Amino acid sequence: MSTDTRLGRVRTELRNLLILATPIIIAQLAHTAMGFVDTLMAGRVSPQDLAAVALGNSIWVPVFLLMTGILLATTPKVAQRFGAGEEAEIGPLVRQALWLAVAVGGSAAALLWNAEFILRTMNIDPQLITPAMGYLRAVACGFPAVALYHVLRCFSDGLGHTRPAMVLGILGLLLNIPANYIFIYGKFGLPAMGGVGCGWATALVMGFMLIGMLVWVKWAPYYRASALFTHFEWPRWTVIKRLLSIGVPIGIAVFAESSIFAVIALLIGGLGATVVAGHQIALNFSSMVFMIPYSLAMAATVRVGQALGRGQPREARFAAGVSMAAALGYACISASLMFLLREQIAQIYTPDKTVIAVAATLIVYAALFQFSDAIQVTAAGALRGYQDTRITMLLTLFAYWGIGLPVGYALGLSDLFGEPSGPSGLWQGLVVGLTCAAAMLTVRLARSARKRIRRAA
């Protein structure tokens, strides 16, 4: 194959990837921007309100990612059926995924409602527990709705229609801003709730997005071939079990990464509101930056899954490689900007100079792990397209919990390597864990691709 032909293939695949990924990127940025708005508006009330929202986020966000990770099994299964031209089988599959969402969403909501023991176990400042729990219980009310929304979104993404999530994400963000203002400051006869009001605004947006996706899927013509709403079905354990066999490892792997950040927030909870606030700023901004490689990973799942459904394993491997190269290119840009503008970024969130200093220091470490984070998340997304999730889960657990967290704890909170460095040491552990994850998942992806090609041959 000539160089021009190779470059043409790369350009074509990159264009197809970006066509899928761009709406996902906008949707994910809109979703993450809701957290940015919550953090910004709560921080303007008081450091205590910001700290309460930060602690609440450190619990509900990992639970949310575990829940949606389980439901992500819908995407590769829909993508492969669509690639194989088996659209009539998609509707029954998604109906069972919706039943799974009811169970998973309800369980996650119950966990958040009773999460006070987690805060008390971690010796959080008692003055922060009450507002943090108020915030958590408000968010919990929206979890069943957002679980159903995510199944419908995975269904749409798997078909290659990513625009609905983008439009609804933007509308949700636009609703979140005035809802925050109303609930936080007590407008239209409502009491002023402070940081707790952010939770009620989030729950309201979750319900709105479910209604919007239901309307879109019901009336858009490109969903009709799947016949999702033509009739009612009771739960079928055999189908749900297959979804769980793919989804549970995805959920655990996503949870393993996100919970590391949550555990760090809880570990530094005893160091005072200033340190917690600085950590939250660095985490919130790095989460926003992370949404682009995460979106590329979601698009990679679709591209790989549809290629495998068409019986083209070499095209699947090529799609995975282009996705990883695109994510790495983006990481070069994001890391440079974060390092150069770290103080200006922190100043967006708060005028407090002490908090700015803490946040700016941690943003440096966030810039360092942009490369490994982009590689590992994109490799994981491609592996989901292969429905290779169990080994991915084990590798992720080992990298984050077996390497990253122990190294971070040793550097930040123990005297094993000298004077404890506090939050900086914990974030250094993140760099180590993400780097190990990137290396192991890249090797696993290469092996999975080769195995599928040999099987086809």
Side-chain angles (χ1 to χ4, degrees):
M1 184 182 294
S2 68
T3 301
D4 289 343
T5 303
R6 290 195 189 96
L7 289 175
R9 286 186 67 204
V10 170
R11 284 195 294 266
T12 299
E13 178 58 37
L14 183 60
R15 182 173 62 251
N16 291 332
L17 177 74
L18 293 178
I19 289 172
L20 273 178
T22 299
I24 299 176
I25 290 169
I26 296 172
Q28 293 300 125
L29 288 174
H31 174 75
T32 307
M34 294 181 201
F36 168 78
V37 170
D38 287 352
T39 301
L40 188 65
M41 296 183 75
R44 298 297 175 181
V45 178
S46 72
Q48 288 70 31
D49 282 275
L50 176 57
V53 170
L55 290 169
N57 282 339
S58 70
I59 295 175
W60 84 258
V61 171
V63 174
F64 172 82
L65 292 174
L66 173 63
M67 176 184 74
T68 54
I70 292 172
L71 301 175
L72 268 177
T74 310
T75 302
K77 289 202 170 283
V78 169
Q80 287 203 13
R81 282 164 173 76
F82 181 75
E86 301 170 347
E87 291 187 68
E89 297 183 12
I90 293 174
L93 169 70
V94 177
R95 284 193 286 271
Q96 297 305 309
L98 289 169
W99 279 114
L100 178 59
V102 171
V104 175
S107 300
L111 176 61
L112 293 183
W113 195 271
N114 297 284
E116 185 173 342
F117 74 95
I118 298 175
L119 297 173
R120 295 196 180 279
T121 300
M122 299 304 295
N123 296 318
I124 299 301
D125 185 345
Q127 293 183 347
L128 296 178
I129 290 178
T130 297
M133 281 307 303
Y135 173 74
L136 277 174
R137 286 174 174 166
V139 171
C141 293
F143 259 52
V146 81
L148 292 167
Y149 162 79
H150 269 275
V151 167
L152 295 175
R153 176 183 173 174
C154 290
F155 162 56
S156 185
D157 289 353
L159 295 177
H161 298 295
T162 55
R163 185 174 297 178
M166 176 189 72
V167 173
L168 291 171
I170 293 171
L171 293 176
L173 174 60
L174 295 176
L175 174 61
N176 187 59
I177 295 171
N180 263 336
Y181 178 75
I182 291 168
F183 289 118
I184 290 174
Y185 298 105
K187 304 300 179 180
F188 301 105
L190 294 173
M193 302 181 190
V196 174
C198 295
W200 288 112
T202 299
L204 178 66
V205 170
M206 290 174 175
F208 163 79
M209 294 180 72
L210 170 61
I211 294 170
M213 187 61 85
L214 281 169
V215 171
W216 203 309
V217 170
K218 176 67 176 177
W219 296 108
Y222 40 79
Y223 299 112
R224 290 174 187 165
S226 301
L228 178 58
F229 296 124
T230 55
H231 64 280
F232 176 83
E233 285 185 17
W234 288 106
R236 292 162 50 199
W237 174 242
T238 54
V239 179
I240 293 175
K241 184 178 179 181
R242 288 197 294 271
L243 287 168
L244 286 171
S245 69
I246 301 296
V248 169
I250 296 174
I252 293 175
V254 173
F255 178 80
E257 179 180 1
S258 62
S259 59
I260 288 292
F261 292 93
V263 168
I264 289 175
L266 294 171
L267 286 174
I268 67 176
L271 301 180
T274 297
V275 174
V276 174
H279 166 81
Q280 175 63 14
I281 289 170
L283 176 58
N284 181 261
F285 187 81
S286 62
S287 296
M288 291 181 66
V289 173
F290 173 73
M291 285 302 103
I292 293 182
Y294 181 69
S295 301
L296 290 171
M298 294 176 71
T301 300
V302 177
R303 294 293 298 164
V304 170
Q306 290 186 352
L308 293 174
R310 294 191 300 269
Q312 298 174 329
R314 291 185 182 276
E315 289 298 316
R317 181 175 66 178
F318 185 73
V322 172
S323 300
M324 292 184 68
L328 189 58
Y330 167 76
C332 293
I333 298 171
S334 63
S336 300
L337 292 176
M338 290 173 71
F339 180 78
L340 294 173
L341 302 175
R342 55 191 182 275
E343 291 188 359
Q344 290 86 342
I345 291 168
Q347 289 170 0
I348 296 172
Y349 290 84
T350 178
D352 190 308
K353 293 184 179 180
T354 307
V355 175
I356 290 172
V358 173
T361 300
L362 299 182
I363 289 171
V364 172
Y365 297 111
L368 288 175
F369 67 57
Q370 289 300 298
F371 303 99
S372 53
D373 208 11
I375 292 171
Q376 67 85 21
V377 73
T378 312
L383 285 164
R384 288 197 293 271
Y386 283 100
Q387 298 188 36
D388 181 355
T389 59
R390 294 184 183 180
I391 300 300
T392 299
M393 173 192 70
L394 295 175
L395 294 176
T396 302
L397 285 171
F398 176 69
Y400 300 145
W401 289 87
I403 299 176
L405 185 60
V407 169
Y409 186 88
L411 292 172
L413 300 177
S414 78
D415 56 2
L416 189 61
F417 297 104
E419 187 71 21
S421 55
S424 294
L426 290 163
W427 278 64
Q428 289 166 18
L430 289 175
V431 176
V432 174
L434 288 166
T435 302
C436 292
M440 291 188 290
L441 293 180
T442 300
V443 172
R444 180 64 186 178
L445 176 59
R447 290 181 177 177
S448 294
R450 285 197 302 267
K451 184 186 296 184
R452 190 60 67 96
I453 291 170
R454 286 197 301 267
R455 186 184 304 169

